Amino acid sequence: GSHSELEDTAPRIVEHPTDLLVSKGEPATLSCKAEGRPAPAVEWYKDGERVETDREDPRSHRTLLPGGSLFFLRILHGRRGKPDEGVYVCVARNYLGEATSRNASLEVAGE
């Protein structure tokens, strides 16, 4: 078959993140996989705010994996707050539209 048969499609989430309970300082991965044509760009939002990853800040402890999952080198958790704790969603976009995953909460286990 020729490529002309392949129509562009809006993104859809094929793997959703699930709730995580992580110990402080441990690595964690929030899964997300999206399909679409052209391949959608994935962004993460935490409590409604866009999550910065090492693409925006090379010093970030959060990495956007090639498939769209969000990887934490280690869960940050200080006396002044829990910067990684919250409710995450993954959003996949291409020019035809966007798809939003289910909410996944990340909790940091007690001391």
Side-chain angles (χ1 to χ4, degrees), residues 47-87:
D47 301 329
E49 302 257 311
R50 198 168 167 286
V51 173
E52 287 215 327
T53 64
D54 60 358
R55 293 190 178 186
E56 291 87 25
D57 178 359
R59 296 184 308 279
S60 175
H61 67 294
R62 292 182 290 251
T63 299
L64 188 62
L65 299 179
S69 295
L70 184 65
F71 176 69
F72 300 82
L73 296 173
R74 63 194 174 282
I75 291 297
L76 296 185
H77 187 85
R79 284 188 297 278
R80 290 193 305 279
K82 308 173 180 181
D84 291 326
E85 202 164 78
V87 176

Side-chain angles (χ1 to χ4, degrees), residues 12 21 25 27 31 34 45 47 56-57 66 83 86 89 95 97 101 109:
R12 62 188 186 99
L21 178 64
S31 300
Y45 291 84
D47 301 329
E56 291 87 25
D57 178 359
V89 295
Y95 79 97
S101 74

